[in-house]
PDB file of all heavy atoms in Angstrom:
ATOM      1  N   ASP A 326      15.394 -24.948 -16.870  1.00 96.00           N
ATOM      2  CA  ASP A 326      13.994 -24.717 -16.497  1.00 96.00           C
ATOM      3  C   ASP A 326      13.093 -25.070 -17.668  1.00 96.00           C
ATOM      4  O   ASP A 326      13.306 -24.578 -18.775  1.00 96.00           O
ATOM      5  CB  ASP A 326      13.749 -23.221 -16.197  1.00 96.00           C
ATOM      6  CG  ASP A 326      14.208 -22.820 -14.817  1.00 96.00           C
ATOM      7  OD1 ASP A 326      13.624 -23.292 -13.840  1.00 96.00           O
ATOM      8  OD2 ASP A 326      15.165 -22.022 -14.735  1.00 96.00           O
ATOM      9  N   PHE A 327      12.101 -25.941 -17.437  1.00 96.00           N
ATOM     10  CA  PHE A 327      11.067 -26.153 -18.456  1.00 96.00           C
ATOM     11  C   PHE A 327       9.858 -26.809 -17.809  1.00 96.00           C
ATOM     12  O   PHE A 327       9.926 -27.291 -16.681  1.00 96.00           O
ATOM     13  CB  PHE A 327      11.584 -26.984 -19.635  1.00 96.00           C
ATOM     14  CG  PHE A 327      11.852 -28.441 -19.340  1.00 96.00           C
ATOM     15  CD1 PHE A 327      10.846 -29.404 -19.453  1.00 96.00           C
ATOM     16  CD2 PHE A 327      13.127 -28.866 -18.948  1.00 96.00           C
ATOM     17  CE1 PHE A 327      11.104 -30.740 -19.193  1.00 96.00           C
ATOM     18  CE2 PHE A 327      13.385 -30.207 -18.688  1.00 96.00           C
ATOM     19  CZ  PHE A 327      12.363 -31.149 -18.809  1.00 96.00           C
ATOM     20  N   GLN A 328       8.743 -26.808 -18.533  1.00 96.00           N
ATOM     21  CA  GLN A 328       7.553 -27.487 -18.034  1.00 96.00           C
ATOM     22  C   GLN A 328       6.911 -28.287 -19.159  1.00 96.00           C
ATOM     23  O   GLN A 328       7.025 -27.938 -20.331  1.00 96.00           O
ATOM     24  CB  GLN A 328       6.565 -26.491 -17.418  1.00 96.00           C
ATOM     25  CG  GLN A 328       5.991 -25.471 -18.395  1.00 96.00           C
ATOM     26  CD  GLN A 328       5.088 -24.471 -17.683  1.00 96.00           C
ATOM     27  OE1 GLN A 328       5.428 -23.957 -16.610  1.00 96.00           O
ATOM     28  NE2 GLN A 328       3.942 -24.176 -18.289  1.00 96.00           N
ATOM     29  N   LEU A 329       6.273 -29.382 -18.770  1.00 96.00           N
ATOM     30  CA  LEU A 329       5.514 -30.218 -19.700  1.00 96.00           C
ATOM     31  C   LEU A 329       4.057 -30.101 -19.302  1.00 96.00           C
ATOM     32  O   LEU A 329       3.688 -30.410 -18.169  1.00 96.00           O
ATOM     33  CB  LEU A 329       5.990 -31.675 -19.609  1.00 96.00           C
ATOM     34  CG  LEU A 329       5.229 -32.716 -20.446  1.00 96.00           C
ATOM     35  CD1 LEU A 329       5.391 -32.439 -21.943  1.00 96.00           C
ATOM     36  CD2 LEU A 329       5.718 -34.122 -20.122  1.00 96.00           C
ATOM     37  N   ASN A 330       3.235 -29.622 -20.218  1.00 95.00           N
ATOM     38  CA  ASN A 330       1.830 -29.398 -19.910  1.00 95.00           C
ATOM     39  C   ASN A 330       0.994 -30.657 -20.124  1.00 95.00           C
ATOM     40  O   ASN A 330       1.428 -31.604 -20.786  1.00 95.00           O
ATOM     41  CB  ASN A 330       1.283 -28.256 -20.782  1.00 95.00           C
ATOM     42  CG  ASN A 330       1.997 -26.952 -20.498  1.00 95.00           C
ATOM     43  OD1 ASN A 330       2.065 -26.510 -19.359  1.00 95.00           O
ATOM     44  ND2 ASN A 330       2.564 -26.349 -21.531  1.00 95.00           N
ATOM     45  N   SER A 331      -0.185 -30.642 -19.567  1.00 92.00           N
ATOM     46  CA  SER A 331      -1.114 -31.755 -19.736  1.00 92.00           C
ATOM     47  C   SER A 331      -1.508 -31.864 -21.205  1.00 92.00           C
ATOM     48  O   SER A 331      -1.742 -30.851 -21.879  1.00 92.00           O
ATOM     49  CB  SER A 331      -2.361 -31.486 -18.882  1.00 92.00           C
ATOM     50  OG  SER A 331      -3.258 -32.546 -19.000  1.00 92.00           O
ATOM     51  N   ASN A 332      -1.553 -33.111 -21.742  1.00 92.00           N
ATOM     52  CA  ASN A 332      -1.977 -33.372 -23.122  1.00 92.00           C
ATOM     53  C   ASN A 332      -1.115 -32.613 -24.139  1.00 92.00           C
ATOM     54  O   ASN A 332      -1.619 -31.986 -25.059  1.00 92.00           O
ATOM     55  CB  ASN A 332      -3.460 -32.997 -23.277  1.00 92.00           C
ATOM     56  CG  ASN A 332      -4.032 -33.448 -24.616  1.00 92.00           C
ATOM     57  OD1 ASN A 332      -3.481 -34.338 -25.268  1.00 92.00           O
ATOM     58  ND2 ASN A 332      -5.115 -32.828 -25.027  1.00 92.00           N
ATOM     59  N   GLU A 333       0.211 -32.695 -23.965  1.00 94.00           N
ATOM     60  CA  GLU A 333       1.136 -31.972 -24.852  1.00 94.00           C
ATOM     61  C   GLU A 333       2.296 -32.876 -25.261  1.00 94.00           C
ATOM     62  O   GLU A 333       2.699 -33.772 -24.524  1.00 94.00           O
ATOM     63  CB  GLU A 333       1.692 -30.749 -24.111  1.00 94.00           C
ATOM     64  CG  GLU A 333       2.722 -29.976 -24.936  1.00 94.00           C
ATOM     65  CD  GLU A 333       3.397 -28.848 -24.156  1.00 94.00           C
ATOM     66  OE1 GLU A 333       3.755 -29.073 -22.977  1.00 94.00           O
ATOM     67  OE2 GLU A 333       3.570 -27.770 -24.728  1.00 94.00           O
ATOM     68  N   ILE A 334       2.816 -32.647 -26.480  1.00 95.00           N
ATOM     69  CA  ILE A 334       4.049 -33.309 -26.907  1.00 95.00           C
ATOM     70  C   ILE A 334       5.142 -32.241 -26.948  1.00 95.00           C
ATOM     71  O   ILE A 334       5.062 -31.279 -27.712  1.00 95.00           O
ATOM     72  CB  ILE A 334       3.907 -33.984 -28.291  1.00 95.00           C
ATOM     73  CG1 ILE A 334       2.784 -35.031 -28.268  1.00 95.00           C
ATOM     74  CG2 ILE A 334       5.230 -34.647 -28.692  1.00 95.00           C
ATOM     75  CD1 ILE A 334       2.522 -35.717 -29.593  1.00 95.00           C
ATOM     76  N   LEU A 335       6.141 -32.422 -26.096  1.00 96.00           N
ATOM     77  CA  LEU A 335       7.253 -31.476 -25.997  1.00 96.00           C
ATOM     78  C   LEU A 335       8.501 -32.119 -26.591  1.00 96.00           C
ATOM     79  O   LEU A 335       8.934 -33.179 -26.148  1.00 96.00           O
ATOM     80  CB  LEU A 335       7.489 -31.108 -24.527  1.00 96.00           C
ATOM     81  CG  LEU A 335       8.663 -30.170 -24.215  1.00 96.00           C
ATOM     82  CD1 LEU A 335       8.447 -28.792 -24.828  1.00 96.00           C
ATOM     83  CD2 LEU A 335       8.872 -30.042 -22.710  1.00 96.00           C
ATOM     84  N   GLY A 336       9.072 -31.507 -27.611  1.00 95.00           N
ATOM     85  CA  GLY A 336      10.286 -32.021 -28.247  1.00 95.00           C
ATOM     86  C   GLY A 336      11.530 -31.446 -27.587  1.00 95.00           C
ATOM     87  O   GLY A 336      11.578 -30.256 -27.275  1.00 95.00           O
ATOM     88  N   VAL A 337      12.535 -32.299 -27.361  1.00 96.00           N
ATOM     89  CA  VAL A 337      13.827 -31.849 -26.821  1.00 96.00           C
ATOM     90  C   VAL A 337      14.888 -32.212 -27.852  1.00 96.00           C
ATOM     91  O   VAL A 337      15.091 -33.388 -28.145  1.00 96.00           O
ATOM     92  CB  VAL A 337      14.151 -32.524 -25.470  1.00 96.00           C
ATOM     93  CG1 VAL A 337      15.455 -31.975 -24.901  1.00 96.00           C
ATOM     94  CG2 VAL A 337      13.020 -32.325 -24.475  1.00 96.00           C
ATOM     95  N   VAL A 338      15.544 -31.195 -28.419  1.00 94.00           N
ATOM     96  CA  VAL A 338      16.534 -31.452 -29.470  1.00 94.00           C
ATOM     97  C   VAL A 338      17.907 -30.914 -29.085  1.00 94.00           C
ATOM     98  O   VAL A 338      18.042 -30.046 -28.224  1.00 94.00           O
ATOM     99  CB  VAL A 338      16.102 -30.844 -30.836  1.00 94.00           C
ATOM    100  CG1 VAL A 338      14.815 -31.466 -31.322  1.00 94.00           C
ATOM    101  CG2 VAL A 338      15.962 -29.329 -30.745  1.00 94.00           C
ATOM    102  N   GLY A 339      18.908 -31.444 -29.741  1.00 91.00           N
ATOM    103  CA  GLY A 339      20.293 -31.047 -29.492  1.00 91.00           C
ATOM    104  C   GLY A 339      21.203 -32.174 -29.920  1.00 91.00           C
ATOM    105  O   GLY A 339      20.760 -33.327 -30.025  1.00 91.00           O
ATOM    106  N   GLU A 340      22.469 -31.857 -30.180  1.00 88.00           N
ATOM    107  CA  GLU A 340      23.390 -32.901 -30.636  1.00 88.00           C
ATOM    108  C   GLU A 340      23.720 -33.863 -29.494  1.00 88.00           C
ATOM    109  O   GLU A 340      23.383 -33.619 -28.330  1.00 88.00           O
ATOM    110  CB  GLU A 340      24.658 -32.268 -31.205  1.00 88.00           C
ATOM    111  CG  GLU A 340      25.421 -31.417 -30.214  1.00 88.00           C
ATOM    112  CD  GLU A 340      26.485 -30.556 -30.887  1.00 88.00           C
ATOM    113  OE1 GLU A 340      27.429 -31.135 -31.455  1.00 88.00           O
ATOM    114  OE2 GLU A 340      26.374 -29.316 -30.837  1.00 88.00           O
ATOM    115  N   SER A 341      24.378 -34.970 -29.819  1.00 87.00           N
ATOM    116  CA  SER A 341      24.783 -35.952 -28.808  1.00 87.00           C
ATOM    117  C   SER A 341      25.646 -35.271 -27.750  1.00 87.00           C
ATOM    118  O   SER A 341      26.540 -34.494 -28.099  1.00 87.00           O
ATOM    119  CB  SER A 341      25.582 -37.083 -29.463  1.00 87.00           C
ATOM    120  OG  SER A 341      24.765 -37.801 -30.343  1.00 87.00           O
ATOM    121  N   GLY A 342      25.371 -35.563 -26.471  1.00 89.00           N
ATOM    122  CA  GLY A 342      26.164 -34.977 -25.388  1.00 89.00           C
ATOM    123  C   GLY A 342      25.644 -33.648 -24.892  1.00 89.00           C
ATOM    124  O   GLY A 342      26.259 -33.019 -24.025  1.00 89.00           O
ATOM    125  N   SER A 343      24.487 -33.201 -25.405  1.00 93.00           N
ATOM    126  CA  SER A 343      23.966 -31.890 -24.977  1.00 93.00           C
ATOM    127  C   SER A 343      23.227 -31.968 -23.638  1.00 93.00           C
ATOM    128  O   SER A 343      22.914 -30.940 -23.047  1.00 93.00           O
ATOM    129  CB  SER A 343      23.042 -31.306 -26.052  1.00 93.00           C
ATOM    130  OG  SER A 343      21.957 -32.178 -26.296  1.00 93.00           O
ATOM    131  N   GLY A 344      22.906 -33.199 -23.180  1.00 94.00           N
ATOM    132  CA  GLY A 344      22.272 -33.347 -21.873  1.00 94.00           C
ATOM    133  C   GLY A 344      20.819 -33.788 -21.921  1.00 94.00           C
ATOM    134  O   GLY A 344      20.145 -33.826 -20.890  1.00 94.00           O
ATOM    135  N   LYS A 345      20.337 -34.160 -23.107  1.00 94.00           N
ATOM    136  CA  LYS A 345      18.915 -34.532 -23.266  1.00 94.00           C
ATOM    137  C   LYS A 345      18.570 -35.775 -22.438  1.00 94.00           C
ATOM    138  O   LYS A 345      17.643 -35.770 -21.639  1.00 94.00           O
ATOM    139  CB  LYS A 345      18.597 -34.798 -24.750  1.00 94.00           C
ATOM    140  CG  LYS A 345      18.996 -33.688 -25.708  1.00 94.00           C
ATOM    141  CD  LYS A 345      18.572 -33.970 -27.126  1.00 94.00           C
ATOM    142  CE  LYS A 345      19.174 -35.237 -27.720  1.00 94.00           C
ATOM    143  NZ  LYS A 345      20.629 -35.196 -27.891  1.00 94.00           N
ATOM    144  N   SER A 346      19.323 -36.852 -22.654  1.00 92.00           N
ATOM    145  CA  SER A 346      19.012 -38.128 -21.984  1.00 92.00           C
ATOM    146  C   SER A 346      19.259 -38.051 -20.476  1.00 92.00           C
ATOM    147  O   SER A 346      18.493 -38.616 -19.685  1.00 92.00           O
ATOM    148  CB  SER A 346      19.846 -39.261 -22.587  1.00 92.00           C
ATOM    149  OG  SER A 346      19.479 -39.470 -23.931  1.00 92.00           O
ATOM    150  N   VAL A 347      20.327 -37.361 -20.068  1.00 95.00           N
ATOM    151  CA  VAL A 347      20.644 -37.228 -18.634  1.00 95.00           C
ATOM    152  C   VAL A 347      19.487 -36.544 -17.901  1.00 95.00           C
ATOM    153  O   VAL A 347      19.082 -36.968 -16.816  1.00 95.00           O
ATOM    154  CB  VAL A 347      21.967 -36.449 -18.433  1.00 95.00           C
ATOM    155  CG1 VAL A 347      22.161 -36.069 -16.975  1.00 95.00           C
ATOM    156  CG2 VAL A 347      23.147 -37.281 -18.911  1.00 95.00           C
ATOM    157  N   SER A 348      18.926 -35.509 -18.515  1.00 95.00           N
ATOM    158  CA  SER A 348      17.796 -34.787 -17.907  1.00 95.00           C
ATOM    159  C   SER A 348      16.591 -35.706 -17.748  1.00 95.00           C
ATOM    160  O   SER A 348      15.903 -35.677 -16.718  1.00 95.00           O
ATOM    161  CB  SER A 348      17.404 -33.582 -18.771  1.00 95.00           C
ATOM    162  OG  SER A 348      18.527 -32.757 -18.999  1.00 95.00           O
ATOM    163  N   SER A 349      16.339 -36.541 -18.780  1.00 94.00           N
ATOM    164  CA  SER A 349      15.179 -37.443 -18.713  1.00 94.00           C
ATOM    165  C   SER A 349      15.392 -38.547 -17.675  1.00 94.00           C
ATOM    166  O   SER A 349      14.447 -38.958 -16.995  1.00 94.00           O
ATOM    167  CB  SER A 349      14.887 -38.050 -20.088  1.00 94.00           C
ATOM    168  OG  SER A 349      15.922 -38.927 -20.484  1.00 94.00           O
ATOM    169  N   LEU A 350      16.623 -39.025 -17.522  1.00 94.00           N
ATOM    170  CA  LEU A 350      16.922 -40.041 -16.510  1.00 94.00           C
ATOM    171  C   LEU A 350      16.710 -39.484 -15.103  1.00 94.00           C
ATOM    172  O   LEU A 350      16.286 -40.202 -14.192  1.00 94.00           O
ATOM    173  CB  LEU A 350      18.354 -40.558 -16.669  1.00 94.00           C
ATOM    174  CG  LEU A 350      18.623 -41.437 -17.910  1.00 94.00           C
ATOM    175  CD1 LEU A 350      20.108 -41.739 -18.025  1.00 94.00           C
ATOM    176  CD2 LEU A 350      17.824 -42.726 -17.862  1.00 94.00           C
ATOM    177  N   ALA A 351      17.001 -38.195 -14.921  1.00 95.00           N
ATOM    178  CA  ALA A 351      16.780 -37.546 -13.623  1.00 95.00           C
ATOM    179  C   ALA A 351      15.286 -37.532 -13.289  1.00 95.00           C
ATOM    180  O   ALA A 351      14.886 -37.780 -12.148  1.00 95.00           O
ATOM    181  CB  ALA A 351      17.335 -36.127 -13.634  1.00 95.00           C
ATOM    182  N   ILE A 352      14.451 -37.265 -14.295  1.00 95.00           N
ATOM    183  CA  ILE A 352      12.994 -37.244 -14.086  1.00 95.00           C
ATOM    184  C   ILE A 352      12.499 -38.625 -13.664  1.00 95.00           C
ATOM    185  O   ILE A 352      11.633 -38.767 -12.808  1.00 95.00           O
ATOM    186  CB  ILE A 352      12.271 -36.783 -15.380  1.00 95.00           C
ATOM    187  CG1 ILE A 352      12.607 -35.309 -15.680  1.00 95.00           C
ATOM    188  CG2 ILE A 352      10.748 -36.967 -15.266  1.00 95.00           C
ATOM    189  CD1 ILE A 352      12.231 -34.854 -17.080  1.00 95.00           C
ATOM    190  N   MET A 353      13.107 -39.676 -14.235  1.00 93.00           N
ATOM    191  CA  MET A 353      12.706 -41.056 -13.935  1.00 93.00           C
ATOM    192  C   MET A 353      13.357 -41.603 -12.664  1.00 93.00           C
ATOM    193  O   MET A 353      13.064 -42.719 -12.248  1.00 93.00           O
ATOM    194  CB  MET A 353      13.092 -41.979 -15.109  1.00 93.00           C
ATOM    195  CG  MET A 353      12.315 -41.748 -16.380  1.00 93.00           C
ATOM    196  SD  MET A 353      10.596 -42.291 -16.258  1.00 93.00           S
ATOM    197  CE  MET A 353      10.781 -44.070 -16.207  1.00 93.00           C
ATOM    198  N   GLY A 354      14.272 -40.820 -12.058  1.00 93.00           N
ATOM    199  CA  GLY A 354      15.003 -41.308 -10.885  1.00 93.00           C
ATOM    200  C   GLY A 354      15.969 -42.419 -11.233  1.00 93.00           C
ATOM    201  O   GLY A 354      16.220 -43.321 -10.432  1.00 93.00           O
ATOM    202  N   LEU A 355      16.530 -42.370 -12.443  1.00 92.00           N
ATOM    203  CA  LEU A 355      17.406 -43.440 -12.933  1.00 92.00           C
ATOM    204  C   LEU A 355      18.865 -43.013 -13.106  1.00 92.00           C
ATOM    205  O   LEU A 355      19.648 -43.727 -13.730  1.00 92.00           O
ATOM    206  CB  LEU A 355      16.877 -43.973 -14.283  1.00 92.00           C
ATOM    207  CG  LEU A 355      15.563 -44.764 -14.229  1.00 92.00           C
ATOM    208  CD1 LEU A 355      15.080 -45.083 -15.637  1.00 92.00           C
ATOM    209  CD2 LEU A 355      15.718 -46.037 -13.410  1.00 92.00           C
ATOM    210  N   LEU A 356      19.243 -41.871 -12.553  1.00 93.00           N
ATOM    211  CA  LEU A 356      20.653 -41.469 -12.622  1.00 93.00           C
ATOM    212  C   LEU A 356      21.500 -42.455 -11.816  1.00 93.00           C
ATOM    213  O   LEU A 356      21.086 -42.888 -10.737  1.00 93.00           O
ATOM    214  CB  LEU A 356      20.844 -40.056 -12.058  1.00 93.00           C
ATOM    215  CG  LEU A 356      20.347 -38.889 -12.919  1.00 93.00           C
ATOM    216  CD1 LEU A 356      20.459 -37.587 -12.129  1.00 93.00           C
ATOM    217  CD2 LEU A 356      21.128 -38.777 -14.225  1.00 93.00           C
ATOM    218  N   PRO A 357      22.683 -42.844 -12.316  1.00 92.00           N
ATOM    219  CA  PRO A 357      23.535 -43.778 -11.554  1.00 92.00           C
ATOM    220  C   PRO A 357      23.920 -43.205 -10.201  1.00 92.00           C
ATOM    221  O   PRO A 357      24.418 -42.091 -10.106  1.00 92.00           O
ATOM    222  CB  PRO A 357      24.756 -43.964 -12.463  1.00 92.00           C
ATOM    223  CG  PRO A 357      24.712 -42.832 -13.444  1.00 92.00           C
ATOM    224  CD  PRO A 357      23.297 -42.434 -13.596  1.00 92.00           C
ATOM    225  N   LYS A 358      23.655 -43.965  -9.149  1.00 87.00           N
ATOM    226  CA  LYS A 358      23.752 -43.451  -7.771  1.00 87.00           C
ATOM    227  C   LYS A 358      25.143 -42.975  -7.360  1.00 87.00           C
ATOM    228  O   LYS A 358      25.305 -41.910  -6.810  1.00 87.00           O
ATOM    229  CB  LYS A 358      23.288 -44.532  -6.772  1.00 87.00           C
ATOM    230  CG  LYS A 358      21.849 -44.965  -6.946  1.00 87.00           C
ATOM    231  CD  LYS A 358      20.887 -43.870  -6.542  1.00 87.00           C
ATOM    232  CE  LYS A 358      19.436 -44.303  -6.746  1.00 87.00           C
ATOM    233  NZ  LYS A 358      18.513 -43.186  -6.800  1.00 87.00           N
ATOM    234  N   ARG A 359      26.159 -43.787  -7.593  1.00 89.00           N
ATOM    235  CA  ARG A 359      27.486 -43.484  -7.034  1.00 89.00           C
ATOM    236  C   ARG A 359      28.267 -42.425  -7.806  1.00 89.00           C
ATOM    237  O   ARG A 359      29.215 -41.864  -7.289  1.00 89.00           O
ATOM    238  CB  ARG A 359      28.321 -44.772  -6.956  1.00 89.00           C
ATOM    239  CG  ARG A 359      27.801 -45.774  -5.940  1.00 89.00           C
ATOM    240  CD  ARG A 359      28.814 -46.866  -5.691  1.00 89.00           C
ATOM    241  NE  ARG A 359      28.312 -47.840  -4.729  1.00 89.00           N
ATOM    242  CZ  ARG A 359      27.733 -48.981  -5.060  1.00 89.00           C
ATOM    243  NH1 ARG A 359      27.597 -49.300  -6.327  1.00 89.00           N
ATOM    244  NH2 ARG A 359      27.306 -49.818  -4.132  1.00 89.00           N
ATOM    245  N   ILE A 360      27.896 -42.186  -9.046  1.00 94.00           N
ATOM    246  CA  ILE A 360      28.726 -41.276  -9.860  1.00 94.00           C
ATOM    247  C   ILE A 360      27.992 -40.013 -10.306  1.00 94.00           C
ATOM    248  O   ILE A 360      28.536 -39.208 -11.051  1.00 94.00           O
ATOM    249  CB  ILE A 360      29.291 -41.999 -11.108  1.00 94.00           C
ATOM    250  CG1 ILE A 360      28.148 -42.527 -11.993  1.00 94.00           C
ATOM    251  CG2 ILE A 360      30.240 -43.116 -10.718  1.00 94.00           C
ATOM    252  CD1 ILE A 360      28.582 -42.936 -13.380  1.00 94.00           C
ATOM    253  N   SER A 361      26.747 -39.838  -9.861  1.00 94.00           N
ATOM    254  CA  SER A 361      26.005 -38.643 -10.269  1.00 94.00           C
ATOM    255  C   SER A 361      25.346 -37.976  -9.072  1.00 94.00           C
ATOM    256  O   SER A 361      25.126 -38.606  -8.036  1.00 94.00           O
ATOM    257  CB  SER A 361      24.940 -39.007 -11.311  1.00 94.00           C
ATOM    258  OG  SER A 361      23.962 -39.835 -10.731  1.00 94.00           O
ATOM    259  N   SER A 362      25.032 -36.708  -9.250  1.00 93.00           N
ATOM    260  CA  SER A 362      24.427 -35.954  -8.148  1.00 93.00           C
ATOM    261  C   SER A 362      23.556 -34.830  -8.708  1.00 93.00           C
ATOM    262  O   SER A 362      23.974 -34.106  -9.615  1.00 93.00           O
ATOM    263  CB  SER A 362      25.534 -35.364  -7.273  1.00 93.00           C
ATOM    264  OG  SER A 362      25.012 -34.394  -6.397  1.00 93.00           O
ATOM    265  N   ILE A 363      22.323 -34.713  -8.164  1.00 95.00           N
ATOM    266  CA  ILE A 363      21.496 -33.539  -8.462  1.00 95.00           C
ATOM    267  C   ILE A 363      21.892 -32.484  -7.443  1.00 95.00           C
ATOM    268  O   ILE A 363      21.565 -32.591  -6.261  1.00 95.00           O
ATOM    269  CB  ILE A 363      19.986 -33.872  -8.388  1.00 95.00           C
ATOM    270  CG1 ILE A 363      19.605 -34.860  -9.505  1.00 95.00           C
ATOM    271  CG2 ILE A 363      19.147 -32.597  -8.494  1.00 95.00           C
ATOM    272  CD1 ILE A 363      18.162 -35.310  -9.490  1.00 95.00           C
TER     273      ILE A 363
END
């Protein structure tokens, strides 16, 4: 759960494999179709 407010810079940190990029790809609708599921 998180929110990004208007006119804000929100930092997402964590080591490699923590899920940062996967979460952002979901927001963009870019998760690979055949091997991933929301």
